[in-house]
Amino acid sequence: MDNLITGDLKNIEHLFKNPNFEFYRHDVSTFVHVPGELDYILHFASPASPIDYLKIPIQTLKVSSLGTHNLLGLARAKNARILVASTSEIYGNPLVHPQTEEYWGNVNPVGPRGVYDEAKRFQEALTMAYHNIHGLETRIIRIFNTYGPRMRLNDGRVLPAFIGQAIRGEDLTIFGDGSQTRSFCYVDDLVEGIYRLLLSDYALPMNIGNPDEISILDFADEIIKLTGTDQKIVHKELPEGDPLMRKPDISKAQEILGWEPKVHRSEGLKITYDYFKTLNHDQLYKSEHKNFEAYFR
Ligand code: UDP
């Protein structure tokens, strides 16, 4: 189920031949009806890129608040287990490093990312309340930066931004001095973590991400080496509210799920680059986000 506000049917084209697959085009922020029985509900609907939050802040707020409420209600009605996608963004600009699940975060509710961060925090609170009051089987995953094939080239996030720039022969744009850090998890590792958490009996929030931390400056160097581009690095202003560091503490996932990431960045980046190289000219040059000024203040 997807309203395709940031998604693309091309990404699931290969699934339509599967007789066990059905797709509903629907916005889960409005009442959700699904006929028949349900065993599991996985709520991943939400814009997930800082530029998207700026473009569609109200939809971003609604999908993790009203949308979560609808899906928790659906889970209750169907007696289904529900897993909701939360995010490292609930830690805001963290003052604890690496981030453990016990850390409560440092979030500006009215900053540009507040619409995402606060909706996801509300989602966690609502999900725990349904668990505690209604005994609903709930799971909460806090997802850290993830990448892989089928990301949107122009969604503004750093990996597709750098790879797109390298392929088009443009300079790589680093926001700020590039000393801010992120920790990138390859999508297959994330999916394995989601699956294990779903089947576990652990109802409190759990971090899933790759603790291999890197500065954005070093990351740009890796992309330059990977793509062989001879473009330069240019610096732009750091967007307001951009977290300075981010790295998951994954001890809980290791202990409780026996999970840890397996794919090294060098391998994951190569697979992702190979995917982006298959895009055609229109896909490479279409700019969904012409109004970058808003992001840069
Ligand atoms: N970033 C950058 N250049 C870009 C896009 C992003 O330097 O063209 C930086 C951004 O300021 C942030 C980091 O890369 O510090 C990761 O940004 P992204 O939008 O991928 O996700 P975030 O982790 O901030 O939600």
Side-chain angles (χ1 to χ4, degrees):
M1 186 172 287
D2 196 329
N3 68 347
L4 301 175
I5 192 169
T6 61
D8 190 336
L9 275 187
K10 273 202 209 74
N11 292 335
I12 53 168
E13 240 168 21
H14 56 290
L15 298 175
F16 282 92
K17 340 186 242 303
N18 184 335
N20 294 322
F21 179 77
E22 272 177 49
F23 174 75
Y24 295 83
R25 186 169 184 159
H26 180 71
D27 178 356
V28 297
S29 303
T30 63
F31 184 82
V32 180
H33 172 73
V34 179
E37 291 179 15
L38 288 179
D39 298 315
Y40 301 104
I41 298 171
L42 294 100
H43 177 21
F44 285 82
S46 177
S49 151
I51 289 189
D52 289 333
Y53 322 147
L54 285 163
K55 229 171 116 186
I56 42 176
I58 295 175
Q59 289 93 329
T60 302
L61 277 160
K62 284 167 78 176
V63 72
S64 290
S65 53
L66 307 180
T68 300
H69 188 218
N70 288 330
L71 294 173
L72 288 166
L74 181 68
R76 254 192 105 192
K78 303 280 182 185
N79 207 10
R81 181 179 298 183
I82 178 167
L83 177 147
V84 299
S86 187
T87 166
S88 54
E89 279 284 327
I90 64 103
Y91 301 119
N93 191 5
L95 304 176
V96 166
H97 194 74
Q99 292 77 54
T100 58
E101 287 88 349
E102 284 73 33
Y103 178 49
W104 294 348
N106 176 35
V107 171
N108 174 4
V110 293
R113 291 174 183 240
V115 293
Y116 184 64
D117 304 2
E118 295 294 5
K120 290 290 191 184
R121 290 171 70 94
F122 175 81
Q123 175 185 65
E124 289 196 6
L126 191 64
T127 302
M128 284 315 298
Y130 267 68
H131 176 73
N132 293 330
I133 299 299
H134 297 308
L136 193 68
E137 286 209 46
T138 57
R139 305 288 177 264
I140 301 173
I141 180 175
R142 291 186 181 151
I143 301 174
F144 283 65
N145 293 65
T146 298
Y147 69 97
R150 303 201 185 101
M151 279 182 100
R152 249 158 76 219
L153 187 71
N154 296 312
D155 81 354
R157 279 188 283 187
V158 65
L159 182 143
F162 284 172
I163 291 189
Q165 287 161 342
I167 294 177
R168 292 188 301 262
E170 297 164 8
D171 292 336
L172 271 60
T173 52
I174 289 195
F175 300 162
D177 62 8
S179 63
Q180 71 270 33
T181 66
R182 293 294 186 271
S183 309
F184 298 99
C185 183
Y186 186 64
V187 62
D188 289 5
D189 283 331
L190 173 74
V191 169
E192 179 67 26
I194 293 165
Y195 187 63
R196 289 189 189 206
L197 179 62
L198 178 69
L199 298 188
S200 79
D201 56 8
Y202 191 76
L204 289 169
M206 184 171 294
N207 289 340
I208 296 284
N210 190 324
D212 186 3
E213 183 182 16
I214 185 172
S215 74
I216 295 302
L217 194 58
D218 289 344
F219 188 61
D221 276 337
E222 284 192 0
I223 301 285
I224 287 171
K225 287 203 187 77
L226 172 76
T227 58
T229 175
D230 48 15
Q231 297 300 313
K232 310 189 291 303
I233 283 172
V234 293
H235 290 269
K236 301 214 174 185
E237 205 179 339
L238 189 69
E240 188 188 337
D242 199 294
L244 297 181
M245 51 193 169
R246 194 185 279 153
K247 168 181 170 161
D249 179 317
I250 58 163
S251 329
K252 281 212 164 57
Q254 284 168 320
E255 277 161 36
I256 296 168
L257 308 180
W259 176 89
E260 60 185 12
K262 299 259 183 293
V263 182
H264 189 266
R265 210 170 41 246
S266 54
E267 192 189 335
L269 284 183
K270 197 179 163 309
I271 301 169
T272 309
Y273 178 45
D274 287 345
Y275 162 77
F276 281 124
K277 280 194 289 192
T278 65
L279 297 186
N280 64 32
H281 182 276
D282 282 358
Q283 291 165 318
L284 281 175
Y285 285 86
K286 133 178 121 177
S287 173
E288 307 164 58
H289 287 297
K290 290 212 174 73
N291 186 14
F292 276 80
E293 283 76 11
Y295 193 40
F296 304 135
R297 269 175 291 169

